Amino acid sequence: KNQVEQSPQSLIILEGKNCTLQCNYTVSPFSNLRWYKQDTGRGPVSLTIMTFSENTKSNGRYTATLDADTKQSSLHITASQLSDSASYICVVSPIGTGFQKLVFGTGTRLLVSP
Amino acid sequence: DTEVTQTPKHLVMGMTNKKSLKCEQHMGHRAMYWYKQKAKKPPELMFVYSYEKLSINESVPSRFSPECPNSSLLNLHLHALQPEDSALYLCASTQPGTNQPQHFGDGTRLSIL
């Protein structure tokens, strides 16, 4: 069964600190892996998208890595800001279902404290 | 501002009411989606429209009825809902055949009394 597991479930860090969120998946084969940020009461917003052949992708203070051998991805946030407080969702797109069915992770709820 | 617009933002309805959720995008995307999201859970896929045709129905109860009048609009008609249907309903769109991410609206917060 295609699954995407994320850890930790929740995390509290001080403003200005770095953090790393983890994503383990069993989806195989897959065409791409995405990280989304979802603020409370808002829809998810795409941060990064990586194909299976890419190892890293950056978007400002967000850097995603992908290890297709171990089926792991991480999202590193540098110099955190209060506005980074949100849920972060790892999403994998299986080959075959294409654009239609994504497999969503369980999410990590990040709170950045002043 | 999101490029996928959903209305209304909030909706409270009784179990016997009929209402509709609306979604609009002008990015030229030809795939549109409805998701249901409960608190602290990831979105759950309900329906997918591809080129204005229903391509996926994830065994959603018939009290939810989707409609895609044209390539820019997606509706979700609601009738005789249950309290457990209270959730955030998200619309998304993307272009088929590409690696573009799905663009999500900010959702409609639905409460069933």
Side-chain angles (χ1 to χ4, degrees):
Chain A
K1 181 182 176 180
N2 286 334
Q3 287 187 312
V4 179
E5 298 287 340
Q6 292 185 241
S7 62
Q9 195 171 44
S10 61
L11 180 63
I12 302 174
I13 62 173
L14 290 175
E15 185 179 11
K17 298 296 186 183
N18 304 335
C19 68
T20 300
L21 314 181
Q22 300 291 343
C23 172
N24 295 331
Y25 60 91
T26 61
V27 181
S28 183
F30 72 96
S31 62
N32 59 71
L33 184 147
R34 312 145 190 225
W35 283 92
Y36 281 87
K37 176 187 180 188
Q38 185 173 19
D39 293 310
T40 301
R42 305 292 299 271
V45 174
S46 179
L47 294 175
T48 64
I49 181 167
M50 292 180 289
T51 65
F52 65 91
S53 61
E54 294 180 289
N55 299 121
T56 186
K57 184 70 68 77
S58 290
N59 178 2
R61 294 180 297 101
Y62 301 101
T63 299
T65 64
L66 175 62
D67 186 334
D69 291 331
T70 61
K71 295 186 171 57
Q72 294 180 326
S73 176
S74 64
L75 181 69
H76 186 74
I77 304 175
T78 304
S80 61
Q81 300 175 358
L82 298 179
S83 59
D84 292 330
S85 296
S87 289
Y88 292 84
I89 309 173
C90 175
V91 184
V92 181
S93 178
I95 285 179
T97 63
F99 61 93
Q100 302 202 87
K101 280 194 181 186
L102 305 179
V103 183
F104 286 79
T106 47
T108 292
R109 293 168 62 85
L110 175 65
L111 177 62
V112 180
S113 176
Chain B
D1 289 340
T2 57
E3 297 166 295
V4 176
T5 303
Q6 291 188 242
T7 55
K9 293 189 184 304
H10 302 277
L11 179 62
V12 180
M13 57 187 286
M15 289 189 285
T16 58
N17 292 156
K18 284 186 180 181
K19 296 286 185 182
S20 297
L21 309 185
K22 297 187 181 301
C23 174
E24 187 169 6
Q25 56 88 14
H26 293 290
M27 294 176 282
H29 291 166
R30 302 302 297 275
M32 296 186 76
Y33 309 73
W34 280 116
Y35 288 90
K36 174 184 178 181
Q37 187 176 27
K38 299 286 260 186
K40 301 183 182 180
K41 298 289 187 182
E44 299 174 24
L45 183 64
M46 299 175 71
F47 303 103
V48 181
Y49 273 84
S50 176
Y51 295 93
E52 296 85 68
K53 294 192 186 308
L54 182 64
S55 60
I56 291 179
N57 176 344
E58 289 287 87
S59 302
V60 179
S62 59
R63 57 186 184 269
F64 295 91
S65 175
E67 177 195 21
C68 190
N70 60 55
S71 60
S72 301
L73 293 175
L74 186 66
N75 298 322
L76 186 63
H77 303 298
L78 315 173
H79 175 54
L81 295 194
Q82 303 297 310
E84 61 266 27
D85 297 323
S86 297
L88 180 68
Y89 288 83
L90 293 165
C91 174
S93 71
T94 192
Q95 185 58 21
T98 70
N99 269 337
Q100 285 187 30
Q102 289 185 10
H103 294 254
F104 286 83
D106 282 337
T108 293
R109 175 71 59 189
L110 177 65
S111 297
I112 306 301
L113 300 179

